[in-house]
């Protein structure tokens, strides 16, 4: 009986058989006449079995007293056995359901995505995977975390909602244990995403999970693994633990680069969000035999819905915005920017280019600039050092906030002169004392001295003060703000800051992109690396005559003559209008387009 429900059912079945055989034998011995009328021993055994299973069948019994007594005994015994059987089945089913709710059963999926760990990032990752899998008939995402299975499912329903064709399966277990990893069948997975938990030292946990994956023996080839570390000093260790099949990114480094790049050009964070978000436009890699032997510059207008942005070579190398005379080889993959891979198709004819509307770029000599950094966190020194590489000599930077004077640690800067003004940036008088109108750029960092939600609240107050002061000063500076929670970004829109950098969401989006295509790592790394081609938002007047009616094909051609790849535009009048904030990527190449001098053309270029 200690063996559980199957053993109990077996014993009850055996007891039923003994009862039926006993009643039939006694009926033949005690009441032979009645037995003969009911089919002898076999007939009585049959009637006994029916009475054992269904008490209602004894209502029409006829015979002697001993025979009826035996039938009554069979009925009463059957009631006891069937009642016990129902109780055993109910208890067994409840126990099985309880076990399933614990999430300890192994899944039997193939070509699925595995997510290891649980944090706020999981909701962004799942939502993006659902969006990415819409074109698939059926897909599965398996989550393994040391949390209650039912609670995880409830949280996903509340934060993500309907997952459509994507089936999300939750399992409870420790990703650091190899036995628990088997619950999500990593050996048959397409990709594995490792999420950092919300603990004091998340990088240690990520590295341990990567090591745990490394100790597993893979049968059909190891799926590619993607993960992120918060501290760049842990990156070599994480990549060593992950092995050659893992893509580990430095979350801090990406956030720092994006903040610095957004500081230099308004709207960049929205462009990057659109490129990383599966609801927008993404990069796809595809072979195109019809373009073999064609120069890259000549292929820019080859697609009806899509813009080539580079090439991926057979050796794994990626060329983003290569020289326009680069010839596409037979083994090359074309990197195409498109809304969906199903929409990428060759154009039947090249769209018209309005030669008369192509403008000559006005040369602008770089000049020293003044930047105001409000707030302080562990990324601030790296941000300032990276800014020092971009700005002209003689530029100035002022730091203000509730922090210690950082100038002693930043004495080796070449182009920046650092000033420090202590004070609370949420106090209007502090900002007014800085003479904010003399700065061209303002960067508002999330202050790590406060909890994330409180830091965001303080950032919002600071932004409101800055925006009110800017309106009275005549819009003299751009504002880049760092936000912890993406939900606060919607609230912060009222401040009309030029850019919001939500590093946690951006990292989640990038991890999801890499889980779908690991080769995109080189593309994004190149776009964020100052040494390669980067994304710029340049004045539209440098490409086409302001007010001229052209198609975007004319903009692409104008950019091509400058060695650049045009991928979209941003309209000034919609800078602060959600959800796209004026950013339009991969527009129709033939549709009429009129750009003003205040609009921007989004290009991939080396400078």
């Amino acid at each position: 009986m200690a063996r559980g429900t199957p053993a109990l059912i077996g014993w009850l079945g055996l007891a039923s058989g003994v009862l039926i055989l006993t009643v039939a034998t006694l009926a033949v011995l005690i009441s032979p006449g009645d037995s003969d009328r009911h089919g002898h021993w076999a007939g009585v055994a049959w009637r006994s079995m029916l009475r054992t299973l269904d008490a209602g069948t004894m209502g029409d019994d006829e015979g002697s007293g001993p025979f009826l007594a035996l039938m009554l005994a069979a009925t009463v015994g059957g009631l006891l056995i069937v009642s016990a059987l129902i109780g055993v089945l109910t208890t067994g089913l409840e126990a099985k359901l309880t076990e399933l709710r614990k999430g300890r059963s192994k899944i039997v999926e193939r070509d699925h995505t595995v997510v290891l760990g649980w944090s706020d990032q999981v909701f962004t990752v799942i939502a993006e995977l659902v969006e990415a899998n819409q074109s698939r008939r059926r897909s599965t995402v398996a989550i393994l975390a040391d949390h209650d299975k039912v609670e995880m499912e409830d949280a996903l329903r509340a934060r993500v909602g309907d997952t459509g064709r994507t089936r999300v399966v939750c399992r409870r277990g420790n990703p650091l244990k190899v036995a628990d990893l088997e619950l999500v069948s990593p050996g048959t997975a397409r990709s594995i995403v490792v999420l950092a938990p919300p603990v004091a030292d998340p990088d240690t946990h990520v590295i341990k999970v990567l090591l745990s994956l490394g100790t597993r023996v893979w049968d059909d080839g190891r799926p590619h693994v993607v993960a992120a570390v918060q501290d760049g000093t842990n990156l070599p260790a994480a990549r060593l633990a992950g092995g050659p099949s893992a893509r580990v990114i430095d979350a801090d480094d990406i956030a720092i680069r994006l903040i610095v790049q957004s500081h230099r050009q308004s709207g960049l964070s929205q462009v990057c969000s659109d490129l990383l978000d599966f609801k927008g436009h993404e990069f796809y890699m595809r072979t195109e035999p019809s373009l073999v032997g064609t120069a890259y510059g000549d292929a820019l207008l080859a697609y009806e819905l899509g813009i080539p942005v580079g090439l991926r070579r057979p050796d794994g190398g990626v060329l983003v915005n290569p020289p326009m005379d680069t010839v596409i080889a037979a083994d090359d993959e074309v990197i195409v920017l498109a809304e969906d891979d199903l929409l990428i198709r060759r154009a039947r004819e090249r769209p018209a280019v309005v030669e008369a509307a192509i403008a000559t770029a006005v040369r602008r000599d770089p000049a020293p600039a003044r930047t105001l950094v409000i707030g302080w966190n562990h990324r601030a020194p790296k941000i300032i050092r990276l800014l020092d590489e971009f700005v002209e000599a003689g530029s100035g930077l002022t730091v203000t906030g509730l922090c210690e004077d950082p100038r002693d640690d930043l004495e080796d800067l070449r182009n920046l002169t650092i000033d420090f003004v202590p004070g609370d940036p949420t106090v209007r008088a502090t900002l007014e004392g800085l003479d904010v109108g003399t700065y061209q750029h303002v960067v508002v960092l999330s202050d790590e001295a406060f909890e994330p939600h409180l830091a965001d609240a303080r950032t919002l107050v600071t932004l409101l003060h800055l925006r009110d002061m800017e309106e009275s000063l005549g819009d003299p500076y751009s504002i880049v703000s760092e936000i912890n929670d993406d939900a606060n970004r919607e609230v912060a829109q009222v401040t009309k800051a030029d850019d919001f950098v939500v590093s946690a969401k951006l990292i989640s989006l990038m991890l999801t992109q890499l889980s779908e295509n690991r080769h995109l790592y080189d593309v994004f790394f190149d776009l964020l690396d100052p040494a390669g081609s980067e994304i710029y938002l340049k004045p539209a007047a440098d490409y086409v005559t302001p007010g001229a009616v052209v198609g975007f094909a004319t903009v692409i051609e104008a950019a091509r003559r400058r060695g650049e790849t045009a991928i979209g535009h941003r309209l000034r009048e919609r800078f602060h209008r959600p959800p796209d904030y004026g950013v339009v990527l991969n527009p129709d190449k033939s549709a009429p387009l009129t750009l003003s001098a205040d609009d921007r053309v989004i290009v991939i270029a080396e400078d």
Side-chain angles (χ1 to χ4, degrees), residues 267-592:
L268 181 63
S269 66
Q270 181 60 35
V271 175
C272 291
S273 296
D274 198 337
L275 292 174
L276 292 171
D277 193 337
F278 280 103
K279 293 181 181 179
H281 292 74
E282 304 88 48
F283 294 122
Y284 297 95
M285 298 180 181
R286 54 187 290 136
T287 57
E288 198 65 69
S290 60
L291 291 179
V292 173
T294 304
Y296 168 75
D298 295 334
L300 292 176
L301 296 176
Y303 291 97
E304 182 178 348
L305 295 173
I307 300 176
V309 298
L311 303 172
R312 179 177 178 269
R313 290 291 164 83
D315 59 1
V318 167
L319 302 175
V320 178
N321 185 44
M324 294 297 158
D325 58 355
T326 303
V327 178
I328 301 175
D331 295 333
D332 288 345
E333 288 183 331
V334 181
I335 306 171
V336 183
L337 175 67
E339 188 173 359
D340 193 276
D341 56 343
L342 299 178
L343 301 177
I344 301 175
R345 57 177 179 267
R346 289 292 309 275
R348 296 180 180 178
E349 58 182 16
R350 293 175 68 86
V353 174
V354 183
E355 289 285 343
I358 296 179
T360 302
V362 177
R363 179 177 177 81
R364 299 175 182 85
D365 295 326
R370 299 192 69 205
T371 302
L372 174 63
V373 175
I374 300 175
W376 193 261
N377 56 36
H378 71 280
R379 287 190 285 266
K382 297 179 181 179
I383 291 174
I384 294 174
R385 293 186 185 279
L386 187 59
L387 274 175
D388 184 60
E389 298 180 12
F390 285 109
V391 299
E392 291 297 308
S395 298
L397 185 144
T398 302
V399 177
T400 184
L402 301 174
C403 59
E404 299 294 331
D405 190 340
R407 287 178 291 185
D408 291 341
D409 299 327
L410 299 169
E411 294 180 347
D412 55 343
L413 301 178
R414 295 180 302 172
N415 299 320
L416 279 173
T417 301
I418 304 296
D419 292 324
F420 174 68
V421 179
D424 188 348
T426 62
V427 178
R428 178 68 173 256
T430 301
L431 298 176
E432 291 177 341
L434 294 170
D435 194 10
V436 182
T438 61
Y439 295 91
Q440 289 81 43
H441 309 287
V442 177
V443 180
V444 183
L445 300 179
S446 178
D447 198 332
E448 288 182 340
F450 302 91
E451 293 293 327
H453 68 279
L454 182 55
D456 281 356
R458 291 176 58 84
T459 298
L460 293 178
V461 173
T462 302
L463 289 175
L464 287 170
H465 288 319
L466 289 171
R467 178 54 61 191
D468 184 56
M469 296 168 64
E470 184 181 30
E471 290 178 353
S472 63
L473 293 171
D475 197 22
Y477 48 78
S478 64
I479 305 175
V480 177
S481 177
E482 183 183 25
I483 299 290
N484 292 305
D485 188 351
D486 188 57
N488 291 325
R489 174 172 180 162
E490 298 180 4
V491 180
Q493 298 306 330
V494 68
T495 67
K496 295 185 178 181
D498 296 273
D499 281 274
F500 294 95
V501 177
V502 188
S503 57
K505 181 178 181 180
L506 289 172
I507 297 305
S508 301
L509 294 175
M510 183 169 289
L511 288 176
T512 310
Q513 288 277 352
L514 297 182
S515 71
E516 292 295 300
N517 185 350
R518 64 192 303 265
H519 303 301
L520 289 176
Y521 173 87
D522 297 319
V523 177
F524 291 123
F525 183 82
D526 197 328
L527 291 176
L528 293 173
D529 187 1
S533 293
E534 304 163 80
I535 299 175
Y536 292 91
L537 289 86
K538 298 187 176 183
D542 289 352
Y543 298 87
V544 293
T545 303
V549 179
V550 299
F552 192 70
T554 303
V555 179
I556 293 177
E557 174 61 19
R560 183 194 69 81
R561 297 179 182 182
R562 300 177 58 181
E564 302 170 352
T565 301
I567 61 174
H569 57 78
R570 191 186 191 200
L571 303 179
R572 175 68 182 180
E573 62 180 12
R574 292 167 49 192
F575 270 20
H576 300 294
R577 295 182 189 176
D580 55 18
Y581 304 96
V583 172
V584 180
L585 295 180
N586 185 31
D588 189 332
K589 299 180 181 65
S590 300

Side-chain angles (χ1 to χ4, degrees), residues 113-133 141-143 156 159-160 163 166 168 190-196 226-228 276-278 504-516:
T113 301
V114 173
V115 178
L116 302 179
W118 184 268
S119 67
D120 284 342
Q121 286 183 306
V122 74
F123 304 111
T124 301
V125 170
I126 297 301
E128 289 302 305
L129 288 174
V130 170
E131 189 71 26
N133 293 330
V141 179
I143 303 174
L156 288 171
R159 298 280 294 274
V160 179
T163 58
T166 301
V168 181
R190 181 175 73 252
S191 60
I192 299 176
V193 181
V194 181
L195 298 182
V226 295
L276 292 171
D277 193 337
F278 280 103
K505 181 178 181 180
L506 289 172
I507 297 305
S508 301
L509 294 175
M510 183 169 289
L511 288 176
T512 310
Q513 288 277 352
L514 297 182
S515 71
E516 292 295 300

